[in-house]
Amino acid sequence: MDERFVVDTWHYVLARHARAMCALERELGDKHGLGPSEFEVLDRIVHHDRDLRILELCDEVHLSQSALSRVVARLEKAGLVSRIVCASDRRGVFVRITDEGRARHKAALPTHRAVLREVFADARTGAVPR
């Protein structure tokens, strides 16, 4: 694979990620009181349709365990999730979405997807800027 193509692709990914995160921060924050990480945690739990261990969420949302714990604490304080200690392994902690969390996720989902559609509108062409 051509090195220039790889570097151009990497720059494209970084630029799109930054653009997406800024837009998500603004739109989700202004319209739904959520940051991108908070939305992502809710979205993963809804997607799996079950309680998720903190370690599972770490792998899926690409945050450190301490950063994820802070996100979960904010969601818990807002009444959007609750933490449950695993009955068989007291070291394990699960995160469960609440009814209010499901409602907030449902309301924010169209905003999230609209931002992603806008940011990645040209991705279908496969064109990486040179």
Side-chain angles (χ1 to χ4, degrees):
M1 188 176 289
D2 175 11
E3 183 176 319
R4 184 77 252 153
F5 174 78
V6 170
V7 171
D8 287 347
T9 301
W10 176 241
H11 290 162
Y12 173 84
V13 168
L14 290 175
R16 291 305 161 119
H17 179 267
R19 184 173 165 209
M21 292 304 283
C22 287
L24 288 169
E25 189 80 42
R26 182 181 59 251
E27 295 295 316
L28 290 173
D30 290 351
K31 295 177 181 175
H32 308 285
L34 293 170
S37 295
E38 287 88 0
F39 178 85
E40 194 65 27
V41 167
L42 296 176
D43 199 45
R44 297 303 174 123
I45 296 170
V46 167
H47 172 77
H48 287 287
D49 197 28
R50 63 179 173 84
D51 300 345
L52 292 178
R53 282 183 177 266
I54 289 283
L55 291 176
E56 286 179 283
L57 279 169
C58 280
D59 291 342
E60 293 213 8
V61 298
H62 308 290
L63 294 173
S64 68
Q65 191 168 353
S66 61
L68 178 61
S69 290
R70 289 189 297 273
V71 170
V72 169
R74 287 193 301 269
L75 290 169
E76 190 173 36
K77 185 176 180 181
L80 305 179
V81 301
S82 59
R83 294 184 222 212
I84 294 103
V85 175
C86 178
S88 62
D89 179 359
R90 308 251 342 134
R91 296 170 297 171
V93 176
F94 287 90
V95 181
R96 174 178 294 161
I97 194 166
T98 63
D99 290 341
E100 188 176 340
R102 283 189 189 282
R104 181 88 63 92
H105 173 267
K106 184 177 180 180
L109 187 63
T111 301
H112 181 268
R113 299 309 197 253
V115 167
L116 295 184
R117 275 193 302 279
E118 182 181 324
V119 169
F120 295 105
D122 67 345
R124 287 186 177 239
T125 65
V128 176
R130 292 233 179 219

